[in-house]
Every structure is written in C-alpha cells, then in structure tokens.
Amino acid sequence: MLHGIWVLMVEKGWLLALLRGAGITLLIGFLGVVVGLAAAIPLAILRWRQVPILSQLVDAYSIVIRGVPGLLVIYLLFFGSVDWVQRIASAFGYADSAENAYPFLIGIIAIAAISCAYSIEVIRGALQAVPIGLLEAARSLSLSPRVTFSRVTLPLALRLALGGINNVWQMTIKDTSLVSVVGMQELMRAAAVAAGITRSPLLFYCLAAAMFFAMTAVSQVLFNRAEKHFNRGFSRG
Amino acid sequence: MLTKNALRSFCASGLMMAAAIGAASAEDGVLRVGTEGDAPQFSMADANGNVTGFDADIANGICAELKVKCKFVVQTFSSLVPSMDSDRFDVIISGLGITDERMKKIDYSIPYATTPQYFVVSKDSPFVGLKSLAEIEKALAGKTVGVVNGTTYAQFIKKHIPTADLKTYDATTQQNSDLAAGRLDAAFGDSPTWVDFLSSPEGANFARIDVKVTGADDHEALGYGMGVGLRKGNAELKAKLDSALCNMINNSKVKAASENWFKDDYTIQCK
Amino acid sequence: MDFSIVAYAVPFLLVGAKTTMLIAAFGVGLGLPFGILLATARISQTGPVRKCADFYCAVFRGTPMLVQIFVIYYGLAQIGFVRHNAVLWWLIGDSLHAAILAVILNTGAYTAEIFRTALLSLPRGLIEAAEACGMSPWVVFHRIKFPLALRQALPSYSTEVAVIVKESSLASTITVLEITGYAKRLMSETFAIMEIFVVTAAFYLAINVVCLTALHAIERRLSFERHSAR
C-alpha cells in the first residue's frame, strides 16, 4: 500500500505534477486578485461617488457576478469570449502573444472578473467606513478635496479594506479550482488527470485538498502578521 | 445590455494589462495538438504532460510527415471544439468523430479510422445477453446510461433511447469509475475504451453487450469515422493533413498504431 | 441575442431550477442546524470537542468546494466498504444525494463561523442574569442565547444562503442536471454561449432575489423595532 503510493507519487512523478499545478494555482490566484483589485479601486470610487450611469453599471456588474455561479462565468469566458478577445488583441497588435498565452490569459481574466466584483464591495464599504470626523478635520485644515482623498480617505480606506481583501484572496484561491473544468492545468486539473489515469481518485483528491488547505492556512498566517503591521499606531477596540 | 457591456469593457482592460505583461511570440515549425489526455488507449497524459496512445501516435506521425514538432495541449473533451475556435491549438486529434453537426463548426481531414461502439453492463445485469440494437433500445428505456459529454455517443443515446437517464461526464475515466462503482446501468463508448476497462481490475465484473454499433447504424448521430479537426477555412493545412494521413494509411502506420493500442485494425482506407 | 435559442433553453433551465432549489433547500434546512451545532461545539468548554469542530471548519473553509465534492463522489466511491454499506451508498451512490451532502457539509462550516461570532458577541450581562435566575444551561441556550444570536447572525446568514444557491452549481460536475448542468449541455449543443449565459444568469438572480426577500422578511420580524412598535 505505502509502496504503491510511493511508486505513484515519486517514480511516476505525479507528486511533482500536482506541485506544478499548485504553482499555477497560486500564480493564477495572485494575478487574478491583483488585476481584479486594480480594476476594482477605480470602479469602487465611481460607485462611492455615485457618478450617474457609470455607478449603476458598476452595480449591475457586481450584482451579476456575485449572484451567478463562478462556473458559469468561466464557461462564458472560455467558450464565448473568443472572437472579441482576438479582435481586440489584434487591434492592439497583440494577436500573436494573445494567441499563445490565451488559456492562461482567459483563466486570469475569469478569476479577476470574479474577484473584482467582490473587491468592489470591499473597497466601497471601506470608503464609506472612513470616519466622517477625520474628513471634516481635513476640510477644516482647508485641504483640497483631491488631497483629502489621496492623503486621507484612500490610505485609511485601504487599511480598513485589508480584512476584506484577505477574504477575497482566500476565496479566489479556492475559485481557481473552477478553471480546471475547462482543462486549465492547475492543481485541481492535475489531480483529476492523475486520479483518472491511476484510478486512485481518493488519494489524489485528498492530496489536492491538503495542498489547497496549506495555501489558505499559510496565507491566513501571513495576513495576520500583515494586519498587525498595518495597525501600528492605531489603538485596538 | 448593461451588464454585458460592463463585463466586456472590464475584461478588455484586463486583457490589455495581462497581454502587456508579456507573452512568448508564436513559434514556427510547431503543430499544436488538442487532445483529451485521460481517454485510455486513445490519449493518455502522464505526470509530465507527455501524451501516449493512439491519438498521440497519429499526431506524431502527422508531425513527422509535415516535418514539424508536435505540442500537445491536454483538456476535457467537450471543451476541445470551442477551444480550437479560440486558437488554443491548431488541430484536434482526440478520436474526434466526423459528424454533420460538428462540420458546421469546424473542418476535418479525411477519416483515418473508425471504431465500433459497444454498451457495457455488469455481468450480473439482465441486459448482458441482449441480441440487437432494437432490444437494447427497449431494455435501456428509463435506465441510467453514461457517456462522455460532447461526444457522438451522447447524441446517439439521446436520439435512440430518449427516455434514458443520461449521465454525461467530463472524462472517460470518470465515466468508468462510476460504472465500476455501480452508479450506471450501462455505459456507451468505443471498443478500445472497453478493451482497456474490461481488462482492468475494476472492470472485472463487467462485460460488453455483444452488439456492435457502428457509424453505419446512424451516420447522422455517430458520424463517418475519426478525423483530425481543424479551424474552418484553412485549406492549406487541410491539404497537408490529408496527404500526411494518406501516406500514413498507405504505409500501414495507422494500422500499426491501431493494432498496438486496440489489438485490432480500425483503419479507414484512403481514397 | 437570438430569441429562439432563449425560448429553446428556458424549459430545460426550469427543470434544472427545480433541482437547484431542492439542493439549496436541503442546504439551508439541514446545513443551518448542523452549522449551529458546530458553532456550539466550537465554543464548548470540552477541549477535544472544540478542537474537532475547529479542525472540521478549518478544513471545509480552507479547501475549494469542488475538491470536497470530488472527494465525496469519486473518492469515497473507491472504498469497497462504502459501496457495500446500504446507508452510505444511498448517500454517496446517487449523484444528487452526494451533491446535497457536500453542500450541507460545506455550508455547515461557514454557518458555524457566522453563529460562533454571533454567540461570542452576546452581552455577558444578559447571560449572567439568566443564570442568576436559575435557568439551566439548555434553557439559557434556547431561550436567551439562540434567539439573540439568530437575530445577530441573520444578515450574514442571508449572504450564506446566496452562496449556497451558487455553490449548488458544482453539482453539475458530478452529472447532476441542475441549472448550470443544463446550461453547459445547452452551450455545447447550440454554441450560443452569450445567450445561454444571460438566460441562466437571470435564473440565478431571480432565485437569489426570492431568497433574500424572504430572509429580509424574517429579519424584520425578529428585529427590535418591530417588537417595540407593537
């Protein structure tokens, strides 16, 4: 039994395949969160300022993505995006690179599109939670609205958003497993192929679960440290 | 369509960012081959992404004829056709049946092989001794039948046993493990898949119903044999693939691959 | 938009919607009591009970639901004992049952987290007062702690209900034909991806609206304002 597992894992190289998949999972997850967050900040500001029309559009986007299963969003992007992604890419002279990086790109876009919707809510909530007194203080110092925003509101809001961003990250890491259903070679897909070929689903899916668990657990520890760091100078409670 | 636009513009900006991060430029002399990767005997990916099996032999044979390098892209069967459309690879070599329905979407090379299909049931099942397709159709009405999602077999069952409780799987191996676990009354697939499954320990209690189903039973649903799939309108590539396949058929390379993996010759002669 | 495809898709999706709602109903109906049970275990004074419950929640919250559903459906089916045990096989053998089980186990862990926070945030004084009145621990729990925690937890729990509806879509990966299962089949049949997506999304949003409206109604019933207005 143990020998059999050793043969599968090491001699046949499936453990390495799973670890490689885990690396891709982390990469997709990380890029997905970063791209999602980068897009979410301006969108959340639009929403927070209640810019007419645009703010409703952002709302509609966020409601649809958060209300619809991730699997569906991924099917849409993997199967339906094709023509226009190609068109846009070639219009900007990226036809070749887009073609080569396509699967990875769509994977990241799909994951970013989902994480972005959640990040919008987190950042909007944080912007609204910035204490009004601080803003009044800034105004009384006759700081311009722009300076107030960039120097007071945004930094404070990002600190407040940290917990929410951690939640988005944890959720995103788990969501990356969904891109496996369209054949992207991340951890879950590596486990599915291994399970199928070696006919040992229990072993490989449990192993995948353990690896996902390790990722989320380690990032939780790192986050707790980061939180301590960012909360320097703020009293608790 | 507000949401649609929002989604599109967002994704466009995401794409630009990601594309700008940089990606390798197109390589010359490489044929990118889309294949399933977990279909026993046809297309089996190992831990390093190398693919072996009948499909791999055909692909490597074609690449040798065309003097290019084969690069395999492994993904689920049902996503192969849409993904080729999105240019994830140049051709599909994955035991892909040529059907009228799919021909609306993609082009095909000449057919190079055809495999008979069988129903597989438990040895204790009352269906094991059925003698004709008509009997099977009647007996399996309302029963649970497994097929792989997006295959011609799925179309065939839908058309011929419309009352069956059809279970569709993303992978052949998932279908087989459900069959072995006793979740299916029957599964429908091609002979090579079954040769592999029935000879494995988990398939020991199963047998195929001795009724051979071929394309001739229903060309519309089952198609005209296996071909290499390619994007529409690439006449140059199609001509190259056709002549490469014809050479491989004539010098018995296809026959050798078929006998090696399937223990039988399923070649379709080149006209 | 091609409306003939929409018209073709809707009857299938309606059939799927029944299954989605069935899974979600079990997810709420059994997942909620299970989650509350886990929450009480997590604040229990007994070490091993608390540790086990903590570990369970950490594992189910720290891994993707897709992995959980695959372990349950494909993984456990590999074990001969499970296949030959009538009760276990009834649970795992049928894909719909397995999906419902996975949803209950998964939502239980998240629900436990919501209720644990709610239970811990209860004002100490109220509980001390109840104990001082000579209420037994069980009476304190079901007359004081639970109603207060429920009111506290309800807003977060309604988010969890929306999540349950969404997570039920993963049942499609183990052959259950709920909304997403039909949507995928329709997509690979018609190749009309955008049309199918829009209709399917509308189905999910409609279900969410119904669930959230119902929960808001319950929330209002339980809130202080309503009681004081009476």
Side-chain angles (χ1 to χ4, degrees):
Chain A
M1 169 82 185
L2 276 179
H3 178 70
I5 293 177
W6 170 263
V7 169
L8 279 181
M9 289 301 160
V10 180
E11 289 172 24
K12 296 244 163 93
W14 288 112
L15 185 64
L16 198 67
L18 251 60
L19 286 173
R20 202 164 37 217
I24 296 180
T25 289
L26 277 176
L27 192 61
I28 300 174
F30 179 74
L31 290 175
V33 168
V34 169
V35 173
L37 203 57
I41 292 175
L43 292 177
I45 293 171
L46 285 179
R47 179 70 191 73
W48 175 64
R49 287 269 163 84
Q50 307 202 332
V51 181
I53 304 170
L54 288 178
S55 146
Q56 277 82 6
L57 274 177
V58 173
D59 247 4
Y61 164 72
S62 155
I63 287 171
V64 169
I65 296 289
R66 287 182 304 127
V68 164
L71 264 185
L72 264 185
V73 177
I74 284 162
Y75 289 144
L76 171 75
L77 288 175
F78 264 83
F79 298 156
S81 57
V82 190
D83 307 340
W84 59 269
V85 169
Q86 279 300 315
R87 231 176 290 143
I88 295 167
S90 21
F92 286 82
Y94 285 119
D96 282 355
S97 37
E99 183 182 310
N100 265 295
Y102 188 83
F104 194 66
L105 252 168
I106 289 289
I108 291 165
I109 292 174
I111 294 301
I114 298 171
S115 80
C116 173
Y118 288 87
S119 297
I120 290 174
E121 298 306 311
V122 167
I123 294 169
R124 188 174 64 101
L127 284 169
Q128 280 165 349
V130 172
I132 196 82
L134 280 172
L135 300 182
E136 279 163 1
R139 200 174 307 145
S140 69
L141 292 172
S142 72
L143 295 179
S144 72
R146 205 202 209 132
V147 173
T148 308
F149 183 77
S150 66
R151 286 307 185 71
V152 181
T153 317
L154 197 59
L156 281 171
L158 285 180
R159 191 185 72 88
L160 288 171
L162 208 62
I165 292 170
N166 176 49
N167 287 342
V168 172
W169 160 251
Q170 300 255 348
M171 189 197 70
T172 304
I173 274 290
K174 289 182 273 171
D175 274 353
T176 57
S177 67
L178 299 179
V179 295
S180 70
V181 297
V182 285
M184 183 115 179
Q185 295 289 327
E186 44 62 76
L187 175 54
M188 188 63 200
R189 173 70 181 161
V193 171
I197 295 288
T198 65
R199 302 178 207 269
S200 330
L202 187 62
L203 176 65
F204 281 102
Y205 291 134
C206 284
L207 206 59
M211 288 186 181
F212 272 113
F213 185 60
M215 288 183 212
T216 50
V218 168
S219 42
Q220 185 63 46
V221 170
L222 292 178
F223 164 75
N224 288 345
R225 279 204 204 146
E227 197 182 33
K228 225 180 248 166
H229 176 80
F230 281 107
N231 281 339
R232 286 165 310 168
F234 287 89
S235 69
R236 295 218 121 199
Chain B
M1 208 66 255
L2 296 183
T3 56
K4 192 164 148 182
N5 287 336
L7 191 66
R8 285 193 169 192
S9 58
F10 165 71
C11 290
S13 62
L15 171 79
M16 242 64 86
M17 248 178 267
I21 290 169
S25 61
E27 297 166 75
D28 282 331
V30 171
L31 185 70
R32 295 168 305 159
V33 180
T35 190
E36 186 181 347
D38 54 359
Q41 306 304 313
F42 278 96
S43 168
M44 297 170 288
D46 70 5
N48 301 313
N50 302 319
V51 181
T52 54
F54 180 67
D55 291 329
D57 285 0
I58 296 293
N60 289 324
I62 290 174
C63 290
E65 290 279 341
L66 300 181
K67 301 196 174 55
V68 294
K69 242 183 85 194
C70 268
K71 189 180 155 211
F72 289 100
V73 179
V74 174
Q75 42 175 68
T76 55
F77 187 85
S78 58
S79 70
L80 285 174
V81 172
S83 295
M84 183 170 68
D85 234 35
S86 56
D87 210 6
R88 294 194 55 174
F89 34 78
D90 307 305
V91 295
I92 298 172
I93 304 180
S94 199
L96 188 67
I98 303 173
T99 64
D100 297 326
E101 193 55 39
R102 286 194 191 130
M103 263 192 273
K104 288 180 202 156
K105 195 78 185 147
I106 58 175
D107 282 349
Y108 279 100
S109 69
I110 54 166
Y112 55 88
T114 182
T115 53
Q117 284 109 48
Y118 289 95
F119 287 89
V120 163
V121 294
S122 156
K123 275 183 181 158
D124 323 321
S125 150
F127 310 131
V128 82
L130 297 175
K131 292 278 176 278
S132 69
L133 186 55
E135 276 181 38
I136 295 176
E137 285 172 13
K138 225 168 98 192
L140 288 181
K143 299 292 180 203
T144 315
V145 181
V147 289
V148 174
N149 192 26
T151 56
T152 51
Y153 317 138
Q155 293 302 321
F156 182 82
I157 299 292
K158 251 193 228 167
K159 196 171 145 192
H160 289 258
I161 319 179
T163 57
D165 177 10
L166 190 64
K167 297 269 182 194
T168 51
Y169 294 87
D170 283 333
T172 313
T173 49
Q174 287 179 349
Q175 167 198 288
N176 292 354
S177 72
D178 256 13
L179 184 66
R183 286 185 175 121
L184 299 171
D185 292 317
F188 183 57
D190 42 49
S191 171
T193 303
W194 297 135
V195 169
D196 177 76
F197 174 68
L198 296 176
S199 65
S200 71
E202 60 177 355
N205 277 323
F206 291 83
R208 56 184 204 197
I209 303 179
D210 205 10
V211 176
K212 193 196 244 183
V213 182
T214 64
D217 285 310
D218 186 346
H219 273 307
E220 196 198 330
L222 289 175
Y224 307 91
M226 290 180 255
V228 176
L230 65 156
R231 262 188 303 283
K232 268 207 166 306
N234 194 341
E236 189 198 348
L237 181 60
K238 179 174 160 43
K240 278 191 195 165
L241 290 171
D242 284 352
S243 81
L245 279 169
C246 210
N247 286 344
M248 287 166 63
I249 292 167
N250 289 334
N251 65 21
S252 296
K253 278 220 179 111
V254 176
K255 184 176 171 210
S258 173
E259 284 178 341
N260 179 29
W261 294 104
F262 305 151
K263 314 284 172 254
D264 209 342
D265 180 16
Y266 294 135
T267 313
I268 295 181
Q269 288 313 313
C270 158
K271 281 163 208 150
Chain C
M1 284 286 279
D2 181 346
F3 284 99
S4 64
I5 286 178
V6 174
Y8 173 71
V10 166
F12 289 106
L13 294 175
L14 276 173
V15 177
K18 269 192 224 152
T19 313
T20 295
M21 288 195 279
L22 182 75
I23 299 172
F26 274 100
V28 174
L30 296 177
L32 180 61
F34 176 52
I36 293 171
L37 196 72
L38 271 174
T40 53
R42 288 189 66 187
I43 54 174
S44 129
Q45 307 294 326
T46 326
V49 171
R50 193 178 59 237
K51 288 225 174 74
C52 285
D54 278 347
F55 180 71
Y56 175 90
C57 290
V59 167
F60 275 82
R61 294 173 66 231
T63 57
M65 167 96 174
L66 186 64
V67 181
Q68 294 161 18
I69 213 167
F70 272 34
V71 168
I72 289 171
Y73 186 74
Y74 289 116
L76 294 183
Q78 210 191 330
I79 304 170
F81 169 74
V82 175
R83 281 207 302 273
H84 299 122
N85 180 305
V87 177
L88 288 177
W89 192 239
W90 178 84
L91 267 178
I92 313 285
D94 183 275
S95 51
L96 180 62
H97 295 177
I100 290 174
L101 178 68
V103 168
I104 293 171
L105 294 181
N106 179 276
T107 183
Y110 287 91
T111 307
E113 183 66 19
I114 293 168
F115 276 87
R116 189 185 74 107
T117 320
L119 285 167
L120 288 178
S121 73
L122 294 182
R124 200 57 229 141
L126 272 176
I127 293 156
E128 275 163 9
E131 280 163 355
C133 292
M135 287 185 180
S136 71
W138 166 245
V139 175
V140 174
F141 182 78
H142 92 110
R143 299 302 290 274
I144 313 285
K145 284 188 187 168
F146 177 68
L148 286 172
L150 184 65
R151 193 167 55 204
Q152 190 96 8
L154 215 55
S156 312
Y157 189 68
S158 45
T159 317
E160 178 58 22
V161 171
V163 172
I164 292 174
V165 172
K166 279 200 298 177
E167 297 281 50
S168 70
S169 69
L170 294 176
S172 69
T173 60
I174 55 166
T175 78
V176 176
L177 283 173
E178 39 63 75
I179 297 179
T180 303
Y182 273 112
K184 181 175 160 199
R185 202 180 258 191
L186 288 164
M187 281 177 178
S188 70
E189 241 174 56
T190 62
F191 294 110
I193 314 292
M194 191 40 120
E195 281 85 350
I196 305 285
F197 174 82
V198 171
V199 190
T200 313
F203 266 80
Y204 275 107
L205 293 179
I207 293 178
N208 273 342
V209 167
V210 171
C211 290
L212 293 182
T213 315
L215 282 161
H216 277 309
I218 298 173
E219 230 172 277
R220 263 206 310 279
R221 266 193 75 100
L222 292 177
S223 69
F224 277 124
E225 292 80 46
R226 173 71 184 269
H227 286 280
S228 54
R230 230 183 241 167

